[in-house]
mmCIF file of all heavy atoms in Angstrom:
data_model
loop_
_atom_site.group_PDB
_atom_site.id
_atom_site.type_symbol
_atom_site.label_atom_id
_atom_site.label_comp_id
_atom_site.label_asym_id
_atom_site.label_seq_id
_atom_site.Cartn_x
_atom_site.Cartn_y
_atom_site.Cartn_z
ATOM 1 N N VAL A 492 -30.271 29.635 71.557
ATOM 2 C CA VAL A 492 -30.267 30.778 70.622
ATOM 3 C C VAL A 492 -29.727 30.344 69.253
ATOM 4 O O VAL A 492 -30.284 30.695 68.203
ATOM 5 C CB VAL A 492 -29.445 31.945 71.185
ATOM 6 C CG1 VAL A 492 -29.248 33.036 70.132
ATOM 7 C CG2 VAL A 492 -30.140 32.530 72.419
ATOM 8 N N LEU A 493 -28.640 29.583 69.254
ATOM 9 C CA LEU A 493 -28.041 29.140 67.989
ATOM 10 C C LEU A 493 -28.977 28.219 67.218
ATOM 11 O O LEU A 493 -29.094 28.340 65.984
ATOM 12 C CB LEU A 493 -26.721 28.425 68.267
ATOM 13 C CG LEU A 493 -25.558 29.304 68.774
ATOM 14 C CD1 LEU A 493 -24.361 28.460 69.122
ATOM 15 C CD2 LEU A 493 -25.186 30.345 67.732
ATOM 16 N N ILE A 494 -29.635 27.288 67.925
ATOM 17 C CA ILE A 494 -30.574 26.389 67.244
ATOM 18 C C ILE A 494 -31.758 27.171 66.682
ATOM 19 O O ILE A 494 -32.232 26.914 65.571
ATOM 20 C CB ILE A 494 -31.062 25.275 68.200
ATOM 21 C CG1 ILE A 494 -29.884 24.372 68.582
ATOM 22 C CG2 ILE A 494 -32.147 24.434 67.524
ATOM 23 C CD1 ILE A 494 -30.237 23.317 69.598
ATOM 24 N N PHE A 495 -32.207 28.156 67.446
ATOM 25 C CA PHE A 495 -33.327 28.998 66.962
ATOM 26 C C PHE A 495 -32.932 29.748 65.696
ATOM 27 O O PHE A 495 -33.695 29.825 64.732
ATOM 28 C CB PHE A 495 -33.754 29.981 68.038
ATOM 29 C CG PHE A 495 -34.737 31.010 67.554
ATOM 30 C CD1 PHE A 495 -36.065 30.660 67.251
ATOM 31 C CD2 PHE A 495 -34.343 32.335 67.355
ATOM 32 C CE1 PHE A 495 -36.960 31.605 66.769
ATOM 33 C CE2 PHE A 495 -35.229 33.283 66.890
ATOM 34 C CZ PHE A 495 -36.545 32.914 66.588
ATOM 35 N N ILE A 496 -31.718 30.319 65.697
ATOM 36 C CA ILE A 496 -31.245 31.049 64.511
ATOM 37 C C ILE A 496 -31.132 30.121 63.302
ATOM 38 O O ILE A 496 -31.499 30.493 62.183
ATOM 39 C CB ILE A 496 -29.873 31.721 64.804
ATOM 40 C CG1 ILE A 496 -30.040 32.825 65.854
ATOM 41 C CG2 ILE A 496 -29.273 32.306 63.519
ATOM 42 C CD1 ILE A 496 -28.729 33.386 66.356
ATOM 43 N N GLY A 497 -30.660 28.893 63.548
ATOM 44 C CA GLY A 497 -30.477 27.947 62.437
ATOM 45 C C GLY A 497 -31.763 27.304 61.981
ATOM 46 O O GLY A 497 -31.997 27.157 60.780
ATOM 47 N N LYS A 498 -32.657 26.940 62.909
ATOM 48 C CA LYS A 498 -33.869 26.186 62.581
ATOM 49 C C LYS A 498 -35.118 27.059 62.491
ATOM 50 O O LYS A 498 -36.136 26.636 61.924
ATOM 51 C CB LYS A 498 -34.114 25.093 63.642
ATOM 52 C CG LYS A 498 -32.965 24.112 63.818
ATOM 53 C CD LYS A 498 -32.883 23.136 62.676
ATOM 54 C CE LYS A 498 -31.829 22.055 62.958
ATOM 55 N NZ LYS A 498 -31.704 21.097 61.855
ATOM 56 N N LYS A 499 -35.048 28.272 63.101
ATOM 57 C CA LYS A 499 -36.209 29.179 63.163
ATOM 58 C C LYS A 499 -37.401 28.499 63.851
ATOM 59 O O LYS A 499 -38.552 28.767 63.543
ATOM 60 C CB LYS A 499 -36.614 29.620 61.746
ATOM 61 C CG LYS A 499 -35.541 30.336 60.983
ATOM 62 C CD LYS A 499 -35.176 31.658 61.650
ATOM 63 C CE LYS A 499 -34.249 32.490 60.786
ATOM 64 N NZ LYS A 499 -32.908 31.925 60.651
ATOM 65 N N ASN A 500 -37.098 27.650 64.832
ATOM 66 C CA ASN A 500 -38.130 26.945 65.586
ATOM 67 C C ASN A 500 -38.416 27.731 66.863
ATOM 68 O O ASN A 500 -37.542 27.968 67.685
ATOM 69 C CB ASN A 500 -37.655 25.532 65.921
ATOM 70 C CG ASN A 500 -38.764 24.678 66.500
ATOM 71 O OD1 ASN A 500 -39.643 25.159 67.199
ATOM 72 N ND2 ASN A 500 -38.729 23.386 66.204
ATOM 73 N N LYS A 501 -39.674 28.132 67.044
ATOM 74 C CA LYS A 501 -40.054 28.977 68.181
ATOM 75 C C LYS A 501 -39.880 28.285 69.520
ATOM 76 O O LYS A 501 -39.784 28.926 70.560
ATOM 77 C CB LYS A 501 -41.499 29.456 68.016
ATOM 78 C CG LYS A 501 -41.688 30.407 66.856
ATOM 79 C CD LYS A 501 -43.137 30.865 66.747
ATOM 80 C CE LYS A 501 -43.317 31.823 65.557
ATOM 81 N NZ LYS A 501 -44.728 32.248 65.407
ATOM 82 N N VAL A 502 -39.858 26.963 69.502
ATOM 83 C CA VAL A 502 -39.650 26.206 70.751
ATOM 84 C C VAL A 502 -38.318 26.591 71.383
ATOM 85 O O VAL A 502 -38.209 26.751 72.606
ATOM 86 C CB VAL A 502 -39.708 24.685 70.494
ATOM 87 C CG1 VAL A 502 -39.303 23.918 71.745
ATOM 88 C CG2 VAL A 502 -41.096 24.277 70.044
ATOM 89 N N PHE A 503 -37.297 26.767 70.550
ATOM 90 C CA PHE A 503 -35.971 27.094 71.064
ATOM 91 C C PHE A 503 -35.874 28.548 71.490
ATOM 92 O O PHE A 503 -35.088 28.898 72.369
ATOM 93 C CB PHE A 503 -34.908 26.751 70.024
ATOM 94 C CG PHE A 503 -34.775 25.263 69.795
ATOM 95 C CD1 PHE A 503 -35.352 24.656 68.689
ATOM 96 C CD2 PHE A 503 -34.112 24.467 70.712
ATOM 97 C CE1 PHE A 503 -35.246 23.288 68.489
ATOM 98 C CE2 PHE A 503 -33.994 23.107 70.527
ATOM 99 C CZ PHE A 503 -34.576 22.510 69.408
ATOM 100 N N LEU A 504 -36.693 29.415 70.879
ATOM 101 C CA LEU A 504 -36.766 30.796 71.349
ATOM 102 C C LEU A 504 -37.390 30.831 72.752
ATOM 103 O O LEU A 504 -36.911 31.540 73.642
ATOM 104 C CB LEU A 504 -37.612 31.633 70.390
ATOM 105 C CG LEU A 504 -37.837 33.106 70.799
ATOM 106 C CD1 LEU A 504 -36.495 33.849 70.915
ATOM 107 C CD2 LEU A 504 -38.758 33.811 69.803
ATOM 108 N N PHE A 505 -38.432 30.041 72.930
ATOM 109 C CA PHE A 505 -39.064 29.936 74.244
ATOM 110 C C PHE A 505 -38.073 29.346 75.257
ATOM 111 O O PHE A 505 -38.007 29.820 76.404
ATOM 112 C CB PHE A 505 -40.318 29.036 74.143
ATOM 113 C CG PHE A 505 -40.967 28.762 75.459
ATOM 114 C CD1 PHE A 505 -41.760 29.721 76.081
ATOM 115 C CD2 PHE A 505 -40.777 27.550 76.109
ATOM 116 C CE1 PHE A 505 -42.351 29.476 77.311
ATOM 117 C CE2 PHE A 505 -41.355 27.287 77.336
ATOM 118 C CZ PHE A 505 -42.146 28.264 77.941
ATOM 119 N N SER A 506 -37.296 28.339 74.844
ATOM 120 C CA SER A 506 -36.293 27.738 75.726
ATOM 121 C C SER A 506 -35.248 28.768 76.147
ATOM 122 O O SER A 506 -34.854 28.824 77.325
ATOM 123 C CB SER A 506 -35.602 26.564 75.038
ATOM 124 O OG SER A 506 -36.529 25.566 74.689
ATOM 125 N N ALA A 507 -34.794 29.586 75.172
ATOM 126 C CA ALA A 507 -33.790 30.601 75.473
ATOM 127 C C ALA A 507 -34.319 31.605 76.509
ATOM 128 O O ALA A 507 -33.617 31.964 77.445
ATOM 129 C CB ALA A 507 -33.396 31.329 74.196
ATOM 130 N N LEU A 508 -35.571 32.032 76.341
ATOM 131 C CA LEU A 508 -36.180 32.967 77.302
ATOM 132 C C LEU A 508 -36.320 32.313 78.665
ATOM 133 O O LEU A 508 -36.096 32.961 79.698
ATOM 134 C CB LEU A 508 -37.553 33.413 76.787
ATOM 135 C CG LEU A 508 -37.544 34.284 75.525
ATOM 136 C CD1 LEU A 508 -38.961 34.519 75.008
ATOM 137 C CD2 LEU A 508 -36.848 35.610 75.797
ATOM 138 N N LEU A 509 -36.667 31.031 78.682
ATOM 139 C CA LEU A 509 -36.815 30.305 79.931
ATOM 140 C C LEU A 509 -35.473 30.197 80.667
ATOM 141 O O LEU A 509 -35.412 30.431 81.890
ATOM 142 C CB LEU A 509 -37.365 28.904 79.662
ATOM 143 C CG LEU A 509 -37.665 28.029 80.884
ATOM 144 C CD1 LEU A 509 -38.770 28.662 81.717
ATOM 145 C CD2 LEU A 509 -38.071 26.608 80.446
ATOM 146 N N PHE A 510 -34.400 29.910 79.916
ATOM 147 C CA PHE A 510 -33.076 29.826 80.545
ATOM 148 C C PHE A 510 -32.623 31.194 81.048
ATOM 149 O O PHE A 510 -31.991 31.281 82.108
ATOM 150 C CB PHE A 510 -32.053 29.271 79.565
ATOM 151 C CG PHE A 510 -32.254 27.811 79.249
ATOM 152 C CD1 PHE A 510 -32.238 27.353 77.926
ATOM 153 C CD2 PHE A 510 -32.477 26.886 80.257
ATOM 154 C CE1 PHE A 510 -32.420 26.024 77.646
ATOM 155 C CE2 PHE A 510 -32.663 25.537 79.960
ATOM 156 C CZ PHE A 510 -32.647 25.109 78.651
ATOM 157 N N LEU A 511 -32.970 32.250 80.301
ATOM 158 C CA LEU A 511 -32.604 33.611 80.731
ATOM 159 C C LEU A 511 -33.304 33.967 82.037
ATOM 160 O O LEU A 511 -32.674 34.541 82.957
ATOM 161 C CB LEU A 511 -32.984 34.605 79.619
ATOM 162 C CG LEU A 511 -32.498 36.038 79.795
ATOM 163 C CD1 LEU A 511 -30.977 36.087 79.845
ATOM 164 C CD2 LEU A 511 -33.010 36.918 78.662
ATOM 165 N N ILE A 512 -34.579 33.631 82.152
ATOM 166 C CA ILE A 512 -35.343 33.893 83.380
ATOM 167 C C ILE A 512 -34.765 33.061 84.532
ATOM 168 O O ILE A 512 -34.625 33.554 85.660
ATOM 169 C CB ILE A 512 -36.837 33.573 83.156
ATOM 170 C CG1 ILE A 512 -37.447 34.566 82.160
ATOM 171 C CG2 ILE A 512 -37.607 33.610 84.488
ATOM 172 C CD1 ILE A 512 -38.833 34.180 81.676
ATOM 173 N N THR A 513 -34.402 31.816 84.240
ATOM 174 C CA THR A 513 -33.847 30.930 85.274
ATOM 175 C C THR A 513 -32.529 31.478 85.807
ATOM 176 O O THR A 513 -32.259 31.415 87.013
ATOM 177 C CB THR A 513 -33.624 29.507 84.720
ATOM 178 O OG1 THR A 513 -34.835 29.034 84.138
ATOM 179 C CG2 THR A 513 -33.183 28.551 85.799
ATOM 180 N N ILE A 514 -31.709 32.042 84.915
ATOM 181 C CA ILE A 514 -30.430 32.648 85.334
ATOM 182 C C ILE A 514 -30.689 33.800 86.309
ATOM 183 O O ILE A 514 -30.035 33.923 87.353
ATOM 184 C CB ILE A 514 -29.637 33.138 84.105
ATOM 185 C CG1 ILE A 514 -29.111 31.950 83.310
ATOM 186 C CG2 ILE A 514 -28.469 34.033 84.545
ATOM 187 C CD1 ILE A 514 -28.536 32.322 81.953
ATOM 188 N N GLN A 515 -31.703 34.633 85.973
ATOM 189 C CA GLN A 515 -32.027 35.765 86.830
ATOM 190 C C GLN A 515 -32.572 35.294 88.185
ATOM 191 O O GLN A 515 -32.169 35.828 89.244
ATOM 192 C CB GLN A 515 -33.067 36.660 86.135
ATOM 193 C CG GLN A 515 -32.582 37.302 84.844
ATOM 194 C CD GLN A 515 -31.435 38.258 85.079
ATOM 195 O OE1 GLN A 515 -31.393 38.959 86.074
ATOM 196 N NE2 GLN A 515 -30.487 38.293 84.157
ATOM 197 N N LEU A 516 -33.443 34.315 88.157
ATOM 198 C CA LEU A 516 -34.012 33.794 89.407
ATOM 199 C C LEU A 516 -32.925 33.160 90.276
ATOM 200 O O LEU A 516 -32.914 33.327 91.507
ATOM 201 C CB LEU A 516 -35.089 32.748 89.097
ATOM 202 C CG LEU A 516 -36.422 33.276 88.551
ATOM 203 C CD1 LEU A 516 -37.340 32.111 88.136
ATOM 204 C CD2 LEU A 516 -37.125 34.143 89.599
ATOM 205 N N HIS A 517 -32.016 32.427 89.647
ATOM 206 C CA HIS A 517 -30.939 31.800 90.387
ATOM 207 C C HIS A 517 -30.067 32.855 91.074
ATOM 208 O O HIS A 517 -29.655 32.684 92.227
ATOM 209 C CB HIS A 517 -30.070 30.961 89.437
ATOM 210 C CG HIS A 517 -28.877 30.344 90.091
ATOM 211 N ND1 HIS A 517 -28.961 29.426 91.109
ATOM 212 C CD2 HIS A 517 -27.547 30.555 89.875
ATOM 213 C CE1 HIS A 517 -27.740 29.064 91.473
ATOM 214 N NE2 HIS A 517 -26.876 29.736 90.752
ATOM 215 N N SER A 518 -29.815 33.968 90.380
ATOM 216 C CA SER A 518 -29.018 35.052 90.942
ATOM 217 C C SER A 518 -29.735 35.672 92.148
ATOM 218 O O SER A 518 -29.106 35.956 93.174
ATOM 219 C CB SER A 518 -28.746 36.106 89.868
ATOM 220 O OG SER A 518 -28.045 37.197 90.393
#
Side-chain angles (χ1 to χ4, degrees):
V492 170
L493 290 175
I494 294 176
F495 171 71
I496 293 171
K498 302 286 187 181
K499 300 296 188 292
N500 190 327
K501 293 181 180 178
V502 172
F503 292 101
L504 177 61
F505 175 77
S506 300
L508 293 172
L509 184 63
F510 290 133
L511 189 60
I512 293 169
T513 306
I514 290 169
Q515 297 296 324
L516 287 174
H517 176 63
S518 177

